[in-house]
Amino acid sequence: MNNELRLILAIQKNGRLADDSRVLLERCGIDLLKSKDQLVCKAQNFPLDVYFVRVNDIPTFVAAKVCHIGILGQNVLLDKQINSSNSQLDSIEAIMKLGFGRCRLSIAVPNSHDYQGLSDLQGKRIASSYRGILSQYLGKRGVSAEIVSMQGAVEIAPRMGMAEAICDLVSTGSTLAVNGLKEVEIVLESQSILIRNDTLNSVQEELLDRLMLRLNGLQAAKTRKYIMLHCPINKLEAIKAILPGSESPTILALQGLENLVAVHAVCDEGVFWNTMEDLKANGASSITVLPIEKMLD
Ligand code: ATP
């Protein structure tokens, strides 16, 4: 098969982003063979090859042009860009937020610390795996602290007397709570992103456009709902005004019912119980709200 005609994507092999990345591809209609140990997989029904790698290697793979695109956390890209002297990393572009893997890189201190602000950290030791991002954050705020580099289990550092604070990724905060720590500063908000390099030929650019159209279609569908209802013709304007974020609903005649019409609309915003109650109070009946799986505008 001609590689010039295929797009190459790197995703995480195992870990927090791995399943969501695979599911996202599946929802884009891209079938991958399911073997867990495989490092490279050719999609069956889209000209896409997928490399399964460690998430921290994805920026390097994309910068080295081994892959054209990648899915990873914003924190991972920023960390690589700050820490590495490889100028090719700077040419990587984040082209889409994907909405999963949401987390924060946060500073936390022991619950007993009566934290007043960043100046409390002046001259203190902060344990972290994110030396680059943290030192940039502290430097910009004029705080000078010693960063104790650790590769994992950062949250035990205060208990072991190795540091007065930590800086680590947090999503629910339960790991911090279990270790008697409280979150006091958010250094970075992160989620998964799609990144690309600048080496795609025109065929690959077209494939990336197709992939992004599908991803956008999934994102649009996530926030939108399809609503169907019946209403008296003389209440139509009132009903249209209540439908959240819907521009031009479809109005259909109902056989044998001359004074009633069916209204079908795609709503941009959530349709909540109180919206449905408002619709009912204004004469609507048979109100049905359906999720939308995919959308192409
Ligand atoms: P790999 O084994 O691929 O090198 P890893 O073990 O370094 O991965 P994971 O723990 O799988 O990394 O986390 C991958 C990414 O998931 C993080 O870089 C971050 O973007 C995101 N993430 C979301 N929530 C959290 C969380 N609570 N803790 C850590 N990472 C999180």
Side-chain angles (χ1 to χ4, degrees):
M1 224 172 294
N2 186 347
N3 279 342
E4 296 293 300
L5 304 179
R6 295 181 73 81
L7 193 60
I8 309 176
L9 163 72
I11 65 174
Q12 190 184 28
K13 181 170 165 33
N14 295 308
R16 290 174 194 266
L17 303 181
D19 286 347
D20 284 336
S21 304
R22 287 184 84 119
V23 167
L24 190 67
L25 294 176
E26 274 167 29
R27 294 186 65 215
C28 285
I30 295 171
D31 292 338
L32 302 177
L33 290 175
K34 293 278 188 297
S35 162
K36 272 237 152 193
D37 298 323
Q38 222 166 349
L39 292 179
V40 187
C41 173
K42 283 190 183 299
Q44 302 301 292
N45 52 357
F46 196 92
L48 179 79
D49 294 348
V50 181
Y51 282 33
F52 298 95
V53 296
R54 295 199 62 162
V55 75
N56 287 313
D57 291 333
I58 293 178
T60 316
F61 274 73
V62 175
K65 305 175 191 340
V66 175
C67 300
H68 303 114
I69 55 176
I71 293 176
L72 74 174
Q74 289 169 306
N75 59 301
V76 178
L77 178 62
L78 184 61
D79 187 54
K80 275 276 161 179
Q81 286 176 327
I82 292 178
N83 285 328
S84 170
S85 55
N86 177 356
S87 61
Q88 285 174 323
L89 284 165
D90 295 330
S91 66
I92 292 179
E93 196 189 341
I95 48 177
M96 189 184 269
K97 291 184 179 168
L98 299 173
F100 59 87
R102 286 180 193 277
C103 57
R104 314 176 287 284
L105 182 64
S106 290
I107 297 176
V109 296
N111 287 329
S112 56
H113 183 147
D114 176 24
Y115 185 81
Q116 299 297 318
L118 265 179
S119 57
D120 279 18
L121 300 174
Q122 183 70 29
K124 299 286 183 340
R125 295 167 301 168
I126 308 176
S128 185
S129 318
Y130 289 88
R131 169 180 287 278
I133 299 178
L134 179 59
S135 62
Q136 197 178 69
Y137 175 86
L138 294 173
K140 278 187 186 159
R141 287 156 184 80
V143 177
S144 153
E146 181 190 341
I147 299 173
V148 180
S149 284
M150 290 177 70
Q151 286 314 304
V154 164
E155 54 287 326
I156 62 165
R159 228 182 317 146
M160 310 286 279
M162 293 167 68
E164 287 70 43
I166 69 157
C167 175
D168 203 8
L169 292 174
V170 181
S171 44
T172 60
S174 58
T175 309
L176 291 183
V178 165
N179 286 285
L181 300 168
K182 59 182 176 188
E183 192 175 352
V184 291
E185 303 285 348
I186 295 177
V187 173
L188 176 79
E189 302 254 16
S190 178
Q191 63 170 286
S192 55
I193 47 171
L194 180 68
I195 58 168
R196 62 164 291 168
N197 63 28
D198 54 7
T199 61
L200 282 66
N201 63 29
S202 59
V203 174
Q204 291 155 346
E205 287 287 356
E206 222 168 278
L207 291 174
L208 180 56
D209 284 348
R210 272 178 67 195
L211 180 63
M212 287 184 60
L213 203 65
R214 294 186 188 191
L215 290 168
N216 277 321
L218 289 176
Q219 288 192 348
K222 224 193 278 177
T223 51
R224 296 184 193 178
K225 294 278 180 263
Y226 194 82
I227 184 162
M228 302 187 291
L229 56 86
H230 293 173
C231 84
I233 294 180
N234 62 356
K235 295 289 175 103
L236 200 50
E237 287 313 311
I239 295 289
K240 276 160 66 177
I242 298 169
L243 288 174
S246 149
E247 278 157 28
S248 9
T250 306
I251 313 296
L252 302 161
L254 288 167
Q255 206 177 17
L257 297 170
E258 286 184 2
N259 296 327
L260 277 186
V261 284
V263 179
H264 288 201
V266 172
C267 293
D268 273 346
E269 302 150 28
V271 180
F272 300 104
W273 283 108
N274 52 4
T275 314
M276 293 173 74
E277 285 160 5
D278 273 0
L279 290 166
K280 195 167 165 47
N282 278 276
S285 57
S286 304
I287 308 167
T288 309
V289 179
L290 302 170
I292 297 174
E293 198 178 288
K294 307 179 179 74
M295 271 194 85
L296 279 190
D297 281 330

